[in-house]
Amino acid sequence: MCSLEEMTLLRLEEAFLAMLAHVGSSILQPLLLAGPEHSEPWARECLCLLQQLHRSSEQLQEVTEQSLQSLQKRLHQPCTAGLESLLMLGSADRILQVYMEYIESYTSCMVVQVFQQVAKRKSRYWRVQFGLLQKHLPGMSFEGPVDAVLAQALRQPLVQHLQQCVLLLLQLRDGLGKSHPAQELVTQAITLYGNLQSFLQQALDQATATQALWHSLSSRLKDALCTPTRRLLQDSQDVPMTATPLRAERVLLFDDALVLLQGPAVHTFDLRLLWVRPRRHECTFCVLTPEEEFSLSARDPLGRAVWQWKVSRAVSQALRGKKDFPVLGAGPAPSEPPACRSVAYTFSAEGRLCQATYEGEWCLARPHGKGTLKWPDGRHHVGNFRWGLEHGFGIYLVPKATEDQFDCYKCHWQEGSMCGYGICEYGSEEVYKGYFRAGLRHGFGVLDSAPQAPQPFRYTGHWEQDQRSGYGVQEDSSRGERYIGEWQANQRHGLGVVVTQAGVCYQGTFQADKMVGPGILLSEDDSMYEGTFTRDLTFEGKGKITFPNGFTLEGSFSSGAGRGLYTQSVLDTAALPPDPSSTHKRQLGVGALPVESRWRGVYTPFWDFAHAGCPGELQEALLGFQVQSSRELRRSQERGSPEDAAGGTEAFLEDLLRPRQPAALRRHLGEALSAAWHPLGKLLRTLMLTFQATYAGIGANKHLQGLAQEEVKQHARELWAAYRGLLQVALQHKGQALEDEDAETRDQRVHGLMLPLVLPSFYSELFTLYLLLHEREDGLYSQGISSLSVFPDTKLLELLDVHKHLWPLKDLRLTSNQRSSLVRDKCFLSATECLQKIITTVDPREKLEVLEKTYLEIEATVSRVLGREHKLPMDDLLPLLVYVVSRARIQHLGAEIHLIRDMMDPVHTGGRYDFLLTALESCYQHIQKEDVRLHRLPGHWDLRDLR
Amino acid sequence: MAIRELKVCLLGDTGVGKSSIVCRFVQDHFDHNISPTIGASFMTKTVPCGNELHKFLIWDTAGQERFHSLAPMYYRGSAAAVIVYDITKQDSFHTLKKWVKELKEHGPENIVMAIAGNKCDLSDIREVPLKDAKDYAESIGAVVVETSAKHAINIEELFQGISRQIPPLDPLEKGNNGAICMHGGKPPAQARRCC
């Protein structure tokens, strides 16, 4: 059953629709036609606004018609269509939307005085139209100026209709009774229409005030400020307000900007980038904007409160991007505008950011968070910002002279400049990977030339203020040369060693990229030249050549006009032939390039990080970029483990404190050293890089073995110190102190714990150097081995004078057509096999353990043969060991032995490991002897022994 | 009390009883558990000396002539050398003299030499008179005793003699918390703080 109120509503909608139609046809359409006849900008703007108003009006008609239809439908079929089917109740929001749009369009026209502009010209025509309209718009006065009537005719129907709607809906609700299901719906609609009335009123008030303002301002100011959508919210002429230090005669708050007027000067501040901060003073508050900061002061606290409230609300509204409904400040919570926002802004003040556009997150008027900064010259920064400056990871592009060439920095930033690890791909195609400080390459880094450069190079080393400085290695592939040594201001300067592709290497003192004074040059045939020579390895000036046979040639040298070497010198043939092992094992750089000062720059970033207390935010700057991804990886692997919740440094510092027992500590250090996210792991990887850059490729030269060997030990010492440094930080976090470590304990830890852990990382390059250094002896040894390998077991035992009662003949299993004297590789097989395992490990200690087990196998075999325990004296042991070594046929045994000896924990010196190693070395030496190599028969040996 | 590690090298012809002397010296006191040995070729024994403990690290060498050239590897870094001859074999005393000469020329500086005339239980078939040995030892400033590994005669005395000849630690280095003292490249004698 349809109520009386609904019937009335129906009539109301009918009347409203009719009114709208009349207004549309009699006013809006003529207005559009009467629109601008010339194409001035303002005229086009007027037309646009009128078109907008027309569209809004049509929408209004449309929605009113739908509302009417819904009412009619309910009238005819009250049973199927409930109250909620009415558009006014069920879809009130939609109606609201359309009404608001209409109000917006209308007030925009009002503000820019569209009606006045139009009315100026055709007043007579309009008088006729008004006459036609009069009977359709009852209760409206058509007296007065044309523009006022036009404005009223476009406004009045809406105002009236809203009033009547609210009244009727109230009646409808009262008629429904409290328990009616649609009660709530109707109440909502009432509120909504009530709010719409308030909204309309506020919009009209604001428009009136704005219109008045434009009227009062000079045309220049008006042109500068006036836009159709801008509304005045507060004026310092109403509530006085002054600004400091920016001066302002007048302060205007619009819905999108705060404007300060001072004479002809206009300061406009976008509300979205305006922050309000309270001040102690009760009449003042502070305004922050990206480039200005000023205080606004009212005459009294009340005035301040009004302004502060309005500004805050206006900011909130501007940030939301739509009008508060129903009135300013009534929008959804939060009442205070947020401190952090995301807006684009172009800086105009002189300085670093002049004309640059920042797009991204802001906090309290400064870029803060993620954002993009673009300069008009094409520079580009994408990354993290903190309080207005680049901070954290960022990518920075700097365009180069030619198009599509950029210097691209992927780097960590600290307070506006590059600091920490970064990669720079230059426009010239050079690539730098390393550390920066204050925006410059500083610390350790690797610079690669462009792949197609005419003189390709790679520099691995230290930088200072963007220049090569300190210790560094530069490979010059076009010259086939590698310089290892000291640098200053991008030039070779100080002591340096040069190795060449050809195998020649020299050591000298450099100044400003040139070698000065005498140097030492070692050529491949093991002759040595001490004196002055050129970069092209031409001997020039005073010098002395020492030939491998011990002859020396001392005097002055020069390169002649033609080819060859001219010399005036003394040849000394009297010297005794030197020990070949000393001439071909000469080492360069040892002592000249002190190992402690070689790779300082690698450790500097680490120690900076540790001394700062391992702050999490610096971790990534230290490690590079893997932190995030590897942390995620780790998290996915250890799902559900809570330790990563804090992430970063806390996690690994916690880890450090856990294991203290040697085995657990070894495991922990091993994990740390192999982990990409761990500072120790990063250190080790960087050191591997330096090691390869120095000793791989051209650097695999036997004369560098000394440098390499001491470097590895130094790395172990430094890494142990680094571990202690981290431990100290971890303990400090817990309020504890790290107990001191005496030199002896430290040496034990370094050699017993750290060195075996880091050695595998350097092993292949290091072993290659040992291999080259001992090539000659290893060659003789191989000859010895192969000559001994032709002997059957018993023959060899006899040859080596092993007592017959020690021969393990029980081990020989013979087939019917074999004789024991012909069997090979059967005796002491277990010891032989054991010894062969020495090459399967890298750790010197494990190698020594293998050696000890080999001894035990020999002893066990002998005891079995004798049927009782037997302690072998050296008279018996050495021949047996020679036998086992010759049967094990280990390649490059000399390199192995010397590497073990150099890397062995000094604590073992003189002890049983030292003894075993010496025994092994003596076997190695023995096998190299001429009589072993040259197949001397036992008879000959006996003769020699009897000599 | 500080423990000083002293490397001692055993030289002498094969069959003169080098390792028997050491076995006797070491076997009388059992500290094998603390310091594992390499058969009879490498043994250790700790004895008190004054206010120090001397831990002897005794390195045996092969006596065969053909291995002589390998000996420098063994005696390098030694604090003392025990050179053994057989009193019943003149040849072995001759070899001893060669060893002394070699040590003087190529051995570590200040190496303490001790001469042991072994098998003194067989003095009835003696070929080397005690006086010869004593005169010789005096001429080179070496410790000398006639020993019998079989009957455990003069074994302790031999090593005590060596201990007495080892110069005490430099007081300066001693103050240095018992750290290892280095002489040149290889430490001939090491001192370690007692645990």
Side-chain angles (χ1 to χ4, degrees):
Chain A
M1 190 46 205
C2 206
S3 67
L4 182 64
E5 290 80 11
E6 285 173 66
M7 286 297 289
T8 326
L9 265 178
L10 195 144
R11 300 272 166 268
L12 186 66
E13 291 288 62
E14 269 177 358
F16 184 50
L17 188 60
M19 254 190 274
L20 285 176
H22 285 299
V23 171
S25 60
S26 310
I27 298 184
L28 270 173
Q29 272 165 7
L31 269 176
L32 279 173
L33 292 173
E37 281 158 11
H38 43 88
S39 55
E40 279 178 36
W42 68 265
R44 260 183 278 132
E45 192 177 42
C46 277
L47 185 63
C48 271
L49 288 169
L50 285 171
Q51 280 166 346
Q52 178 62 39
L53 184 61
H54 186 234
R55 271 196 300 278
S56 304
S57 168
E58 276 176 345
Q59 275 183 13
L60 197 56
Q61 285 185 48
E62 196 180 313
V63 80
T64 311
E65 201 171 328
Q66 283 170 6
S67 170
L68 185 62
Q69 279 166 4
S70 70
L71 281 161
Q72 281 167 344
K73 194 175 173 194
R74 184 159 154 77
L75 181 68
H76 298 304
Q77 297 162 309
C79 312
T80 52
L83 270 176
E84 69 282 353
S85 75
L86 296 184
L87 203 66
M88 288 176 89
L89 302 178
S91 306
D93 283 338
R94 184 158 162 251
I95 293 179
L96 186 75
Q97 199 61 41
V98 173
Y99 275 50
M100 278 165 72
E101 264 169 45
Y102 183 81
I103 293 167
E104 275 300 306
S105 313
Y106 172 76
T107 49
S108 295
C109 290
M110 228 176 119
V111 165
V112 293
Q113 298 180 317
V114 172
F115 305 123
Q116 280 95 322
Q117 308 282 358
V118 180
K120 261 181 208 163
R121 287 176 297 135
K122 286 198 177 176
S123 69
R124 200 173 295 163
Y125 168 79
W126 288 118
R127 290 291 170 202
V128 178
Q129 290 297 100
F130 292 161
L132 291 173
L133 206 60
Q134 204 151 21
K135 60 176 182 291
H136 298 294
L137 295 179
M140 198 190 112
S141 153
F142 282 86
E143 300 304 315
V146 173
D147 60 291
V149 178
L150 278 173
Q152 206 191 0
L154 287 165
R155 178 181 72 218
Q156 192 67 20
L158 195 70
V159 176
Q160 280 177 2
H161 181 65
L162 280 176
Q163 273 173 1
Q164 285 162 353
C165 271
V166 172
L167 276 173
L168 277 173
L169 283 170
L170 279 170
Q171 286 170 15
L172 179 66
R173 187 185 63 178
D174 294 345
L176 281 179
K178 287 223 158 45
S179 56
H180 195 280
Q183 175 84 24
E184 202 181 327
L185 204 62
V186 179
T187 311
Q188 274 175 12
I190 292 166
T191 318
L192 212 66
Y193 279 90
N195 285 344
L196 200 53
Q197 275 182 301
S198 314
F199 181 79
L200 176 61
Q201 196 50 55
Q202 189 192 325
L204 291 173
D205 289 349
Q206 284 174 358
T208 312
T210 313
Q211 189 187 0
L213 175 73
W214 299 146
H215 202 66
S216 69
L217 289 178
S218 71
S219 65
R220 208 187 53 78
L221 282 177
K222 186 187 157 192
D223 287 349
L225 295 173
C226 175
T227 67
T229 50
R230 183 170 274 180
R231 300 286 184 276
L232 180 67
L233 302 185
Q234 190 68 48
D235 188 341
S236 66
Q237 282 187 341
D238 301 335
V239 181
M241 181 56 75
T242 55
T244 46
L246 283 180
R247 302 210 149 262
E249 293 159 348
R250 196 164 176 190
V251 184
L252 298 171
L253 175 67
F254 294 101
D255 59 350
D256 63 337
L258 182 74
V259 174
L260 304 185
L261 299 180
Q262 171 72 22
V266 182
H267 283 288
T268 307
F269 301 102
D270 187 342
L271 285 183
R272 292 172 308 159
L273 284 170
L274 189 143
W275 281 259
V276 173
R277 298 279 101 186
R279 270 280 163 87
R280 278 254 178 82
H281 194 273
E282 58 180 1
C283 297
T284 307
F285 67 95
C286 188
V287 172
L288 310 178
T289 69
E291 292 179 89
E292 297 282 358
E293 199 176 316
F294 52 90
S295 300
L296 289 178
S297 307
R299 291 220 181 111
D300 48 38
L302 186 67
R304 197 266 310 158
V306 169
W307 269 95
Q308 193 179 333
W309 186 87
K310 278 249 170 115
V311 173
S312 298
R313 296 313 126 111
V315 168
S316 295
Q317 181 179 272
L319 283 170
R320 266 196 296 279
K322 61 178 194 192
K323 292 259 156 89
D324 287 351
F325 182 81
V327 289
L328 181 67
S335 51
E336 283 300 317
C340 294
R341 306 166 191 178
S342 189
V343 190
Y345 178 75
T346 303
F347 291 87
S348 59
E350 283 301 316
R352 175 177 100 85
L353 295 176
C354 183
Q355 301 301 320
T357 302
Y358 175 79
E359 193 169 348
E361 294 167 1
W362 295 76
C363 190
L364 297 178
R366 310 238 200 107
H368 189 88
K370 289 196 192 316
T372 306
L373 194 56
K374 286 182 203 168
W375 279 267
D377 60 6
R379 281 179 298 145
H380 215 105
H381 183 98
V382 184
N384 288 308
F385 289 79
R386 197 170 77 168
W387 302 127
L389 295 170
E390 297 90 337
H391 193 96
F393 182 70
I395 298 175
Y396 180 53
L397 288 175
V398 182
K400 291 278 109 179
T402 41
E403 238 175 282
D404 60 79
Q405 272 198 348
F406 288 90
D407 286 353
C408 171
Y409 296 88
K410 297 172 214 163
C411 193
H412 289 274
W413 297 69
Q414 220 169 345
E415 295 181 350
S417 63
M418 289 180 279
C419 201
Y421 189 79
I423 292 178
C424 177
E425 291 151 8
Y426 296 96
S428 59
E429 288 188 67
E430 286 183 4
V431 178
Y432 174 80
K433 294 179 183 176
Y435 290 89
F436 288 84
R437 189 191 282 173
L440 301 172
R441 292 175 291 200
H442 193 99
F444 172 79
V446 180
L447 179 69
D448 274 300
S449 64
Q452 270 84 41
Q455 288 180 321
F457 67 86
R458 161 179 273 199
Y459 175 79
T460 309
H462 296 116
W463 296 80
E464 245 171 71
Q465 313 258 340
D466 229 26
Q467 293 180 318
R468 296 167 178 85
S469 205
Y471 189 78
V473 174
Q474 176 147 315
E475 172 135 354
D476 202 332
S477 17
S478 61
R479 288 185 67 90
E481 219 178 71
R482 181 179 291 173
Y483 174 87
I484 302 162
E486 291 162 350
W487 294 76
Q488 196 180 319
N490 261 350
Q491 294 179 317
R492 292 148 217 257
H493 193 99
L495 270 161
V497 170
V498 176
V499 271
T500 67
Q501 192 89 57
V504 178
C505 59
Y506 60 92
Q507 174 186 334
T509 311
F510 290 76
Q511 254 173 32
D513 241 15
K514 297 245 160 32
M515 199 176 124
V516 290
I520 302 169
L521 187 142
L522 303 177
S523 56
E524 260 210 308
D525 65 351
D526 292 330
S527 60
M528 171 170 74
Y529 174 80
E530 294 157 282
T532 48
F533 52 93
T534 66
R535 198 182 177 190
D536 301 316
L537 310 180
T538 321
F539 298 168
E540 235 167 41
K542 286 206 160 82
K544 175 183 168 191
I545 303 176
T546 310
F547 296 100
N549 62 3
F551 291 7
T552 61
L553 188 63
E554 190 166 5
S556 59
F557 297 85
S558 65
S559 58
R563 284 188 200 162
L565 182 70
Y566 285 75
T567 176
Q568 199 165 30
S569 47
V570 177
L571 181 67
D572 180 2
T573 57
L576 287 171
D579 178 7
S581 68
S582 74
T583 55
H584 83 264
K585 286 183 183 165
R586 287 190 187 105
Q587 293 298 313
L588 287 183
V590 177
L593 298 166
V595 69
E596 299 81 15
S597 54
R598 258 180 243 164
W599 295 106
R600 298 315 312 160
V602 176
Y603 295 100
T604 321
F606 170 83
W607 284 111
D608 288 350
F609 172 71
H611 289 144
C614 301
E617 57 161 16
L618 291 185
Q619 192 192 4
E620 210 179 44
L622 173 73
L623 298 180
F625 320 113
Q626 293 118 326
V627 176
Q628 201 72 39
S629 53
S630 61
R631 201 182 295 154
E632 273 158 20
L633 186 71
R634 209 152 68 105
R635 198 173 293 153
S636 68
Q637 282 165 351
E638 311 167 10
R639 205 171 304 145
S641 81
E643 66 162 338
D644 244 18
T649 57
E650 290 80 359
F652 78 70
L653 288 176
E654 280 293 312
D655 275 356
L656 278 175
L657 291 176
R658 243 174 268 159
R660 305 309 287 265
Q661 297 308 310
L665 182 59
R666 183 184 302 267
R667 201 168 47 247
H668 168 72
L669 281 175
E671 280 166 13
L673 287 167
S674 57
W677 50 267
H678 202 286
L680 293 179
K682 173 70 184 178
L683 272 184
L684 183 60
R685 274 197 319 286
T686 313
L687 292 171
M688 280 166 71
L689 205 68
T690 66
F691 202 75
Q692 283 163 7
T694 320
Y695 303 112
I698 301 181
N701 187 307
K702 65 182 179 185
H703 302 298
L704 299 183
Q705 178 265 355
L707 281 181
Q709 180 257 111
E710 59 181 13
E711 212 166 290
V712 170
K713 289 196 210 167
Q714 179 66 15
H715 291 339
R717 268 193 289 278
E718 295 279 0
L719 283 165
W720 176 251
Y723 163 73
R724 298 260 308 164
L726 289 180
L727 193 61
Q728 188 172 18
V729 173
L731 286 167
Q732 269 168 5
H733 285 199
K734 295 260 181 277
Q736 296 165 357
L738 181 65
E739 60 213 66
D740 281 340
E741 182 183 55
D742 59 45
E744 195 184 333
T745 327
R746 188 184 58 225
D747 285 349
Q748 267 177 24
R749 295 304 183 127
V750 168
H751 283 95
L753 189 62
M754 197 49 103
L755 189 59
L757 287 170
V758 303
L759 193 56
S761 304
F762 305 110
Y763 194 77
S764 79
E765 286 84 15
L766 189 64
F767 191 71
T768 307
L769 293 173
Y770 276 92
L771 219 72
L772 294 168
L773 189 65
H774 299 283
E775 211 171 14
R776 206 169 140 274
E777 291 104 311
D778 277 340
L780 297 176
Y781 155 84
S782 308
Q783 283 178 22
I785 293 281
S786 54
S787 82
L788 290 180
S789 71
V790 302
F791 292 105
D793 285 355
T794 50
K795 194 82 182 165
L796 185 55
L797 288 167
E798 187 191 336
L799 192 79
L800 292 169
D801 273 348
V802 176
H803 277 293
K804 265 217 157 98
H805 66 282
L806 300 177
W807 293 12
L809 296 176
K810 292 179 188 170
D811 291 351
L812 304 179
R813 294 227 177 74
L814 302 173
T815 52
S816 53
N817 54 356
Q818 266 184 327
R819 277 182 299 146
S820 67
S821 61
L822 292 179
V823 171
R824 272 197 291 176
D825 293 324
K826 286 285 184 283
C827 294
F828 294 100
L829 189 60
S830 61
T832 308
E833 283 174 347
C834 185
L835 185 60
Q836 284 163 342
K837 290 190 192 121
I838 206 161
I839 57 165
T840 60
T841 164
V842 167
D843 183 349
R845 193 193 158 88
E846 283 174 20
K847 285 179 190 274
L848 289 165
E849 279 165 3
V850 167
L851 197 52
E852 188 174 30
K853 278 191 202 128
T854 307
Y855 163 75
L856 291 172
E857 289 293 342
I858 294 174
E859 193 182 57
T861 307
V862 168
S863 299
R864 190 156 42 81
V865 169
L866 296 176
R868 61 183 161 85
E869 203 183 323
H870 181 69
K871 294 207 171 298
L872 286 163
M874 206 54 180
D875 289 351
D876 292 332
L877 178 59
L878 193 60
L880 285 177
L881 208 54
V882 173
Y883 172 87
V884 169
V885 170
S886 71
R887 286 307 193 218
R889 299 185 183 91
I890 296 160
Q891 280 193 310
H892 315 298
L893 185 62
E896 288 282 356
I897 290 170
H898 286 93
L899 193 136
I900 298 172
R901 192 173 288 293
D902 287 344
M903 297 295 142
M904 185 175 77
D905 189 344
V907 101
H908 296 311
T909 309
R912 74 183 195 288
Y913 281 147
D914 189 5
F915 178 81
L916 280 169
L917 189 62
T918 307
L920 182 65
E921 192 180 348
S922 63
C923 295
Y924 171 74
Q925 295 278 357
H926 187 72
I927 290 169
Q928 288 175 51
K929 281 188 184 162
E930 208 174 345
D931 39 13
V932 174
R933 282 186 286 126
L934 301 180
H935 267 246
R936 295 284 158 81
L937 291 169
H940 287 92
W941 284 47
D942 291 339
L943 278 175
R944 286 168 66 89
D945 280 351
L946 290 171
R947 184 185 48 173
Chain B
M1 213 190 291
I3 292 189
R4 262 176 99 179
E5 289 189 344
L6 300 171
K7 177 173 167 184
V8 179
C9 172
L10 276 181
L11 298 166
D13 262 350
T14 175
V16 296
K18 294 188 298 287
S19 44
S20 311
I21 291 178
V22 181
C23 285
R24 175 61 76 183
F25 175 55
V26 170
Q27 271 163 9
D28 286 351
H29 304 265
F30 297 97
D31 63 351
H32 301 164
N33 295 341
I34 309 163
S35 309
T37 63
I38 304 295
S41 306
F42 173 83
M43 292 183 161
T44 65
K45 178 164 171 169
T46 308
V47 293
C49 173
N51 56 359
E52 290 177 349
L53 285 176
H54 283 177
K55 180 177 184 185
F56 291 109
L57 310 167
I58 306 164
W59 290 43
D60 192 10
T61 57
Q64 292 95 323
E65 167 86 30
R66 77 162 73 144
F67 295 130
H68 274 193
S69 62
L70 304 175
M73 301 169 121
Y74 291 85
Y75 61 66
R76 120 189 114 190
S78 291
V82 175
I83 313 160
V84 187
Y85 70 95
D86 183 345
I87 63 158
T88 67
K89 285 191 178 116
Q90 185 66 47
D91 272 359
S92 67
F93 190 65
H94 185 66
T95 315
L96 175 138
K97 286 182 175 171
K98 286 203 296 186
W99 279 126
V100 171
K101 187 164 173 279
E102 181 172 342
L103 283 176
K104 291 254 174 208
E105 281 170 14
H106 305 293
E109 259 182 89
N110 304 325
I111 188 168
V112 173
M113 286 189 266
I115 293 172
N118 199 24
K119 308 193 186 171
C120 69
D121 48 309
L122 302 175
S123 59
D124 40 341
I125 51 163
R126 175 193 291 274
E127 284 185 12
V128 184
L130 178 58
K131 189 173 181 303
D132 284 9
K134 283 207 163 155
D135 289 350
Y136 180 69
E138 201 176 320
S139 71
I140 57 161
V143 179
V144 62
V145 278
E146 286 202 340
T147 58
S148 167
K150 195 170 168 190
H151 299 300
I153 300 165
N154 278 343
I155 304 290
E156 295 282 343
E157 287 76 1
L158 174 69
F159 285 91
Q160 281 165 9
I162 293 171
S163 274
R164 277 195 297 274
Q165 293 249 332
I166 298 287
L169 276 180
D170 189 343
L172 267 176
E173 288 178 40
K174 208 187 222 166
N176 189 17
N177 215 0
I180 298 170
C181 44
M182 304 286 281
H183 296 285
K186 297 280 174 185
Q190 295 180 348
R192 237 195 290 169
R193 198 171 43 186
C194 188
C195 323

